[in-house]
Amino acid sequence: MLFAIPLLIIPFALYNLAMTGLFGDGGTAVLDSEVLAVNMLSGTTWTMAFGDLLIFIALVLLFVEILKATRPGSRALLDHMLSMVLFVVFLVEFLLVQGAATQIFFILMTICFIDVIAGFAVSIRTAGRDVSIGL
């Protein structure tokens, strides 16, 4: 059951915790706060904001979710259903909550949508290979 929980709930929770003020003053200003700065060989400074870090985490977790979709069994079906529920929660929050109407949240919601679509596509593809047609 624990493996069926969609991992994209982590950036969703981090975003909402940031909006409530756990990582600073709260609100959308937290998304622009600098998390990392690296001096490059070219002489410029590359910075990563908190919102960029959330997107990076979500993309890494999307890769893991797609890998999870390749395993057969009933757990995969539960995983897809919970991913769909998470996407619906993302969508409802994006439409109804003022702090969620940002580009960062929209990209996170899009990543969650890709997880849902890719999960079903991978499962259908692998299920087609499991079907024996008697040849």
Side-chain angles (χ1 to χ4, degrees):
M1 176 68 182
L2 189 60
F3 290 114
I5 296 174
L7 296 176
L8 290 174
I9 201 165
I10 294 171
F12 178 76
L14 289 174
Y15 185 93
N16 285 315
L17 289 173
M19 290 299 113
T20 59
L22 185 68
F23 302 122
D25 295 335
T28 57
V30 175
L31 298 174
D32 295 327
S33 63
E34 185 178 297
V35 174
L36 177 69
V38 177
N39 293 323
M40 306 300 285
L41 292 176
S42 64
T44 61
T45 302
W46 175 72
T47 60
M48 179 181 275
F50 181 73
D52 302 330
L53 181 63
L54 284 177
I55 292 172
F56 174 74
I57 291 169
L59 287 172
V60 170
L61 294 175
L62 175 63
F63 175 72
V64 175
E65 284 290 326
I66 291 174
L67 289 179
K68 282 173 48 180
T70 61
R71 59 173 196 223
S74 60
R75 273 195 258 162
L77 182 61
L78 181 62
D79 188 26
H80 298 319
M81 290 177 11
L82 291 175
S83 293
M84 179 63 87
V85 169
L86 181 63
F87 172 69
V88 169
V89 171
F90 260 106
L91 184 62
V92 168
E93 184 169 339
F94 179 70
L95 294 173
L96 299 180
V97 178
Q98 185 176 8
T102 64
Q103 298 89 335
I104 303 295
F105 195 83
F106 178 77
I107 292 170
L108 292 175
M109 182 180 66
T110 304
I111 290 171
C112 188
F113 178 70
I114 292 170
D115 173 39
V116 170
I117 298 301
F120 282 119
V122 167
S123 293
I124 290 169
R125 182 79 174 173
T126 55
R129 290 185 184 153
D130 290 340
V131 175
S132 174
I133 56 173
L135 293 177

